[in-house]
Amino acid sequence: MRRISIFMVITFLLVLVSITTAALCFLFAFNYEEFIRFFLLKMDKPYLYQKAADYFPASSFSLIRIVSIILAVFVLVVVLQFIRHRHRILQKTEKVTSALLTTAVKHIQLSLPQQRSGRIFLLFIFLFYIVRTVLCIFLYPIDFDEADTYLLFSSQGPLVSASFYPFPNNHILFSLLTSITSWIIPDPETALRLPLVIIGIFLLYFLFGFLKRIFSETAAFAGICLFAGSYPVYLFSFLARGYLLLLLFYTVAFYAFYQLVIQKKNERKYKLLFIIASIGGLYTIPTFLYALAGFGLLWFIHLLLNGSKAGWLGFIKTFFITGFVTAVLYTPVFITARWETLQPYMNPTYQQSDTLTMFRFSFRYMVEYLLSPNAAVAVMIGFVSFAGSVLIFRKLTNVHQQLLLFCFLQLLFPFFIFFAFRQAFPVKPWMHLTVIIAVAGAAVFHFVYSIFPKLKSMLPLLLFLILAGETFICYTHRTKVSVTQYNSIAAHFEPFIKSGKIKTVYADIPYFKTMMGFYAYKHDQKLTTYSSRKRSNRFEEFDASKKYDLIFTATGRPLLNQLQHQYDTLLVKDGIVVLSIRQ
């Protein structure tokens, strides 16, 4: 263990020194103009100099230089302190590493089903999930958000991924992860989506172990089948965004919170686990703050009712370290980004007079998104998970009661945000509630199974029907949504881009500008795209005298009546019209 600790500390210091040295050399080797042009040439967008200069002014460049000097001084102090107190630091590192590894190994061992039949069924669930994910990766073409993520962040390397935040579409930790896989895997779609398979397996296994330790093995099977069949997990098991990573961090934080607050195990390893998971969640998506606020509020109430001095100090230290480290990680974003991009979901989205109408619409959309796209199934899952939890509440143990009470309060938190901030339910920031639903469902199943133990013989078939049925519902729903149709249309023209014959594209629907740009990047083709969107970097009014190789527009648009050249209609589908210049 000591060798592992020495390796970890030395590696951490070397990485810290290397990053700091590289940053200093890079920032002081170029002047401001050379710095901007270097990145624009790397992104193959030299024409965006003025927009880049407006976004990243000289004052921000000077500030980054100052911050890099401060960072260099800090790193130097850390290295000197390590040399001076190396024995004590290594002892503490060894102790913490040992505790975390012991906890991880213990969790893995305790998570495994005791009987061979249980292990086979768990393996079947994992295989079902993997096969479903791989099929979806091949079945569904790349999505707009995925293409945007790759073009703007992942393909530009870790530095851009960690600092460029033009809008809340950069899930930074996921962008960093996929920027690394992009170096290893040349195909953009595989580089984006392959990490999700691994993240999903870790997520399912950790959640299964968590539920097994809280309730029972059979309840854990029920919980992960409900969870794996939910629409958010189905969708983001193949859609390359940071939400699956967010669910993993939330589950880990939930486990640590359970041990610290509900089980009252005030141990350092669980605090460290909570800190790591919270930082990971916040660095993936800032709106993880919603989930963290739920933990913090209930932890605070717990301490008010029966807290000690040590408990309060641990609480304050845990959230201070989380906030401090997260702020340090976001420093490049704070320097380069505009403030409006750092406050998503906090501006009122409806008038007070529209409260009831907006509430009905938002609540229904959120329920169908988190529970099931099918209204009947959503009602059934909601009734079983929530109404069932209320009915059995008094018959549960004290620990299970506290856990369900926490789940109920977490479910009420979106309502507080809705009415307090006049913020309509943005579903994705509340995606962690799928874990809450899985916990509530597992609690009900645990109670029912304790009364009717003969259900064990029917368990595999019942859970398979739940998982397969929800998967079918999710598939039919996703296939019908307009975004999927747009993605299919864009993918249809990938061979045109790959051939190299298409040189100019006019996107009267801006969506297709990004999609064609992605396919051009994928096949290393030079493509000039123009967009009708005025805020676009490639905005251009449609010029009828120009010959565009491809035109994407919609039925009924004025553009169709302005054409001065002969175009062939290649496709008319779902209101989209695609034209090609006649040769």
Side-chain angles (χ1 to χ4, degrees), residues 426-481:
V427 178
K428 291 175 183 177
W430 300 105
M431 200 173 296
H432 59 274
L433 295 181
T434 52
V435 178
I436 298 295
I437 295 163
V439 172
V444 174
F445 194 90
H446 174 69
F447 179 77
V448 172
Y449 181 75
S450 66
I451 298 175
F452 304 105
K454 291 183 179 180
L455 286 174
K456 186 174 183 179
S457 60
M458 299 173 58
L459 178 68
L461 178 61
L462 177 64
L463 295 184
F464 172 74
L465 289 174
I466 291 173
L467 187 56
E470 272 292 89
T471 296
F472 177 74
I473 291 169
C474 293
Y475 166 76
T476 53
H477 174 76
R478 183 64 187 176
T479 304
K480 293 176 182 177
V481 297

Side-chain angles (χ1 to χ4, degrees), residues 334-407:
F334 294 144
I335 293 171
T336 60
R338 295 185 176 124
W339 171 245
E340 57 266 23
T341 64
L342 304 178
Q343 48 175 351
Y345 310 119
M346 279 294 107
N347 295 321
T349 57
Y350 65 89
Q351 300 296 325
Q352 275 189 318
S353 57
D354 299 328
T355 299
L356 290 178
T357 303
M358 187 59 69
F359 178 79
R360 283 196 299 269
F361 172 78
S362 300
F363 180 71
R364 180 179 177 181
Y365 178 63
M366 189 173 185
V367 166
E368 291 185 356
Y369 192 91
L370 294 178
L371 296 179
S372 173
N374 184 287
V377 176
V379 170
M380 183 181 71
I381 294 174
F383 179 80
V384 170
S385 299
F386 309 128
S389 299
V390 172
L391 292 172
I392 67 171
F393 187 80
R394 288 190 176 183
K395 299 177 182 180
L396 297 174
T397 63
N398 183 50
V399 170
H400 290 166
Q401 285 181 347
Q402 289 184 56
L403 184 67
L404 281 184
L405 187 60
F406 167 78
C407 292

Side-chain angles (χ1 to χ4, degrees), residues 173-429:
L173 188 56
F174 186 77
S175 296
L176 286 170
L177 178 63
T178 51
S179 69
I180 295 169
T181 57
S182 297
W183 288 343
I184 303 168
I185 304 169
D187 180 64
E189 292 181 41
T190 308
L192 278 172
R193 290 178 164 183
L194 186 62
L196 295 172
V197 180
I198 301 167
I199 293 169
I201 292 299
F202 272 109
L203 171 59
L204 289 180
Y205 190 78
F206 195 93
L207 180 61
F208 176 81
F210 181 25
L211 295 174
K212 180 175 178 284
R213 296 181 72 174
I214 298 172
F215 301 112
S216 65
E217 190 176 294
T218 50
F221 278 125
I224 66 163
C225 284
L226 271 177
F227 180 75
S230 65
Y231 184 64
V233 175
Y234 172 85
L235 180 60
F236 293 105
S237 66
F238 68 88
L239 209 60
R241 308 291 289 126
Y243 296 110
L244 204 65
L245 201 56
L246 181 135
L247 288 173
L248 175 61
F249 286 126
Y250 180 80
T251 306
V252 175
F254 194 176
Y255 170 72
F257 175 85
Y258 170 78
Q259 297 290 354
L260 287 165
V261 178
I262 298 176
Q263 291 284 14
K264 299 179 177 61
K265 294 180 180 179
N266 193 29
E267 298 177 27
R268 182 178 295 177
K269 62 183 179 182
Y270 295 123
K271 292 174 187 174
L272 187 59
L273 199 62
F274 184 84
I275 289 169
I276 293 170
S278 300
I279 292 169
L282 289 169
Y283 198 49
T284 302
I285 307 174
T287 49
F288 187 79
L289 187 63
Y290 285 157
L292 194 59
F295 287 128
L297 178 63
L298 293 169
W299 197 343
F300 181 78
I301 294 171
H302 168 77
L303 289 172
L304 282 178
L305 295 174
N306 46 20
S308 61
K309 185 179 179 181
W312 280 107
L313 286 174
F315 172 77
I316 293 168
K317 189 186 293 186
T318 297
F319 280 91
F320 174 77
I321 294 172
T322 299
F324 177 77
V325 175
T326 303
V328 170
L329 291 172
Y330 271 102
T331 299
V333 174
F334 294 144
I335 293 171
T336 60
R338 295 185 176 124
W339 171 245
E340 57 266 23
T341 64
L342 304 178
Q343 48 175 351
Y345 310 119
M346 279 294 107
N347 295 321
T349 57
Y350 65 89
Q351 300 296 325
Q352 275 189 318
S353 57
D354 299 328
T355 299
L356 290 178
T357 303
M358 187 59 69
F359 178 79
R360 283 196 299 269
F361 172 78
S362 300
F363 180 71
R364 180 179 177 181
Y365 178 63
M366 189 173 185
V367 166
E368 291 185 356
Y369 192 91
L370 294 178
L371 296 179
S372 173
N374 184 287
V377 176
V379 170
M380 183 181 71
I381 294 174
F383 179 80
V384 170
S385 299
F386 309 128
S389 299
V390 172
L391 292 172
I392 67 171
F393 187 80
R394 288 190 176 183
K395 299 177 182 180
L396 297 174
T397 63
N398 183 50
V399 170
H400 290 166
Q401 285 181 347
Q402 289 184 56
L403 184 67
L404 281 184
L405 187 60
F406 167 78
C407 292
F408 291 146
L409 291 174
Q410 283 282 68
L411 289 168
L412 290 175
F413 208 64
F415 296 93
F416 169 75
I417 296 295
F418 181 89
F419 290 108
F421 296 98
R422 282 196 287 125
Q423 175 64 58
F425 296 132
V427 178
K428 291 175 183 177

